[in-house]
Amino acid sequence: MLGLLSFPGERTGYELKKWADSSLRFFYWSPALSQIYAELRRLETLGYVTSTRSGPEEPRTKRCYAITGAGRRALTAWADGEEDAGPPVLKHPLVLRVWLGHLADPVRLAERVAAHVVRTQAALDDVRQALERAQGVTDWAHPQVALRWAERQHLAELELAHAMLADLDRLPPPEAESQLPYGAPTDG
Amino acid sequence: MLGLLSFPGERTGYELKKWADSSLRFFYWSPALSQIYAELRRLETLGYVTSTRSGPEEPRTKRCYAITGAGRRALTAWADGEEDAGPPVLKHPLVLRVWLGHLADPVRLAERVAAHVVRTQAALDDVRQALERAQGVTDWAHPQVALRWAERQHLAELELAHAMLADLDRLPPPEAESQLPYGAPTDG
DNA sequence: TTCGTCATGTAAGAAGTTACATGATTAA
DNA sequence: TTAATCATGTAACTTCTTACATGACGAA
């Protein structure tokens, strides 16, 4: 939240959610709206953000948040501090399913990988749209670098899926007993 | 946990943790030991696993878990079921820091990316060790495919880091005012 | 005798999600 | 007039982590 607010301008919780959905989520994650609102209130008690209720000139009642000097210092302490931010964390349900391939129908498994390719292509389109929007804004050099990373990452994800598909194709056909319904219990 | 137990053999919670650390974590994640023990107890109440306390013949008191037929069916229902398992989720603290590069010293930022390369190379070695171990085991075709995916994924991660480093190098040098300590507050 | 590994757990709490609840504005 | 979007929140709950606590075994 502080990171999003560290770029010029004030935003509502709702706007922050949209921005996270369209950009942050490609290399980090997009929190639920309920968490965003809760977190903004928490950051305000910490003195890291200030909020202004919109007056009657605005069409809607909304609360706009801005980062404070203390908030910027706290954020910079993380972004430019000594501490190790930790390794990337990846949770890949598709690869988990492939890992459990002995329980699945090979044809269906391959279809799932193909579906993953389609989903990744759609995500890649979203990344590219975010990149286009980012290119219009000055002082967004670093977000652009992050989004270019995300674009290449999605391209790599496509290649990875194709290579895995080829690996699965090369697998010897399952034994006769495994051609019965998959995962038929043998105990318990 | 059910997935780990779906491969032949019985294991203790401790063994499950080691296996998750050395294999699962490369494409999914490795839960804390305390969670593993709690989850195994939960799965036992559901009838998805059974446990046997080791008798006096064993050197240590330990509890070995095995999957049941019901557990295998429940797991197969997930692994081979209709339901969408959802998109991969990535939390990449390094890219998040690059995204916030306007708050950081460019030299330090580049050093962080270089450190990420070193860390990824070490992780790649770990993946390859896991692959070697997996190659000795029969009926581990699918775990091998998942680990080959992880190997390629780590190679891609290295390329991605180098490309990002090049992008950062190409960035124009910061304005004079930004050469003061980074993130110097201008408000609040 | 000391350290690393094996082995199991409890308790507190952080982090995050879903479902629920409300209501105004805007465009078709 | 109806649906989508804008806008904000509460409550319950799940998930997961860290810190704490214990103790045996094996190797140096």
Side-chain angles (χ1 to χ4, degrees), chain A residues 6 27-28 73 78 80-81 83-84 89-92 97-98 102 108 112 119 148 167 185 187, chain B residues 6 27-28 67 73 78 80-81 83-84 89-92 97 102 108 112 119 142 148 167 185:
Chain A
S6 74
F27 49 87
Y28 211 70
R73 277 189 294 277
W78 181 83
D80 200 33
E83 215 181 328
D84 180 15
V89 176
L90 175 66
K91 277 197 183 190
H92 208 310
R97 269 180 160 161
V98 168
H102 60 294
R108 192 202 281 256
R112 281 195 208 287
R119 163 137 66 181
R148 271 201 290 275
D167 276 355
D187 62 344
Chain B
S6 74
F27 49 89
Y28 210 72
I67 194 169
R73 278 189 293 276
W78 181 81
D80 199 32
E83 215 180 327
D84 181 15
V89 176
L90 174 66
K91 277 197 184 191
H92 208 309
R97 267 178 160 160
H102 60 294
R108 193 202 280 258
R112 280 195 209 287
R119 165 139 60 184
H142 287 99
R148 272 201 289 275
D167 276 356

Side-chain angles (χ1 to χ4, degrees), chain A residues 140-153:
Chain A
W140 276 40
H142 287 100
Q144 279 170 38
V145 171
L147 284 171
R148 271 201 290 275
W149 181 92
E151 185 189 13
R152 293 191 196 104
Q153 196 265 326

Side-chain angles (χ1 to χ4, degrees), chain A residues 80-142:
Chain A
D80 200 33
E82 296 291 344
E83 215 181 328
D84 180 15
V89 176
L90 175 66
K91 277 197 183 190
H92 208 310
L94 175 77
V95 181
L96 187 59
R97 269 180 160 161
V98 168
W99 181 72
L100 292 174
H102 60 294
L103 298 172
D105 171 13
V107 173
R108 192 202 281 256
L109 194 58
E111 283 169 0
R112 281 195 208 287
V113 181
H116 171 66
V117 168
V118 172
R119 163 137 66 181
T120 305
Q121 276 162 344
L124 178 59
D125 287 345
D126 292 344
V127 173
R128 286 176 168 158
Q129 277 174 38
L131 245 179
E132 274 176 45
R133 283 194 301 273
Q135 257 142 21
V137 186
T138 51
D139 294 337
W140 276 40
H142 287 100

Side-chain angles (χ1 to χ4, degrees), chain A residues 45-68:
Chain A
T45 68
L46 290 171
Y48 291 170
V49 302
T50 54
S51 71
T52 52
R53 254 239 186 279
S54 66
E57 72 283 358
E58 283 283 327
R60 284 156 202 270
T61 346
K62 55 183 179 177
R63 186 174 285 275
C64 270
Y65 287 88
I67 194 168
T68 64

